[in-house]
Structures are given as C-alpha cells and as structure tokens.
Amino acid sequence: MTNPTRIERTSGRELVVTRTFNGPARIVFEAWTKPELMKLWWAPKSIGVPLLSCVMDVRPGGSYRLEFGHDASQSMAFVGKYFEVEPPSRLVWTNEEGEDGPVTTVTFEERDGKTLLTVHELYPSKEALDAGHGAEEGMPEQFEQLDELLVTLVAKA
C-alpha cells in the first residue's frame, strides 16, 4: 500500500488518523465539503450500506446530516455542526448523533502536490472513545475509496 492510513490513540480520549493523498489540498478539501463528492467515497463499500443522502452547509455554524441505509424507513443518520471552516486547510465539526460524540478536526497540509490529511477526534471520555471504535475500522477503507476518487478529480483539474 503506497499511502497507508495510520491510526493512533494519543490519549484515553483522543484518536488521530493520518494519511497522505495524491492531490492538492484544495481538491482533497472539496471531496470533504461537497455533498456530491462525499457521497462517492464516505460509506465503506464492504458494509453494504449506502449513503442515502448527504446534506452539508459547510460554514461556521452550518450543519450536516449524513443518512445511511437501504431506504429512508430504516436509515441511520450522523449529524452535527461546523465550528471552523478554513478552505483548504481546516474543518472542525461536532458529532451529535449521541451524547458521547467527539469533536472532529481535519487538517489538510499540502506538500509537493500531495496532501497530508490528519483527522483528530476528541471524545468526552475514554468510555466514549472505546464505544466509538467503528471509525477506526472504517476509515482505512473510506480513505482507499477517496484515493480512487482523487485520481479522477486530479485528472480533471
């Protein structure tokens, strides 16, 4: 694997995920902030549950709603609010689908045409981090899917 996803628990409440993507920060940032692009890579294909809808108002104070499932009657939603939006270098949002959701900070650092992406999740407690381990399992696959999408996006740029 040329671009491995590194996942590390840096404290009892913190998870840090890093990966380098082949593409400039502005394009990687767009993949995280445009609903039509997010729908193409966010849901890990191996779980077999598609992203039904993706509504994102990407601005400080704006909100998002990502709904997964095979139909609306049996779907699961991830919701939250954006605190910081600094194109193309930084996003900060809340995860409000439960009371123990983390605050997520994503940074996009361009280096020689590639982007070092760092996802930092700060949970309210160690127990909340332990309960939220699904992100650790899904992110490598999500990031592989993002890598595949970036090939197309970079070629069009």
Side-chain angles (χ1 to χ4, degrees), residues 61-66 78-82 93-97:
S63 63
Y64 69 88
R65 179 181 178 83
L66 306 175
F78 292 89
V79 297
K81 291 185 177 52
Y82 292 99
W93 68 78
T94 61
N95 295 268
E96 299 176 2
E97 52 277 354

Side-chain angles (χ1 to χ4, degrees), residues 8 10 26 41 66 80 96 104:
E8 180 183 5
T10 56
R26 68 177 178 77
W41 69 271
L66 306 175
E96 299 176 2
T104 301

Side-chain angles (χ1 to χ4, degrees), residues 10-21:
T10 56
S11 77
R13 298 177 43 218
E14 296 172 286
L15 180 69
V16 176
V17 181
T18 58
R19 184 176 177 122
T20 298
F21 290 94

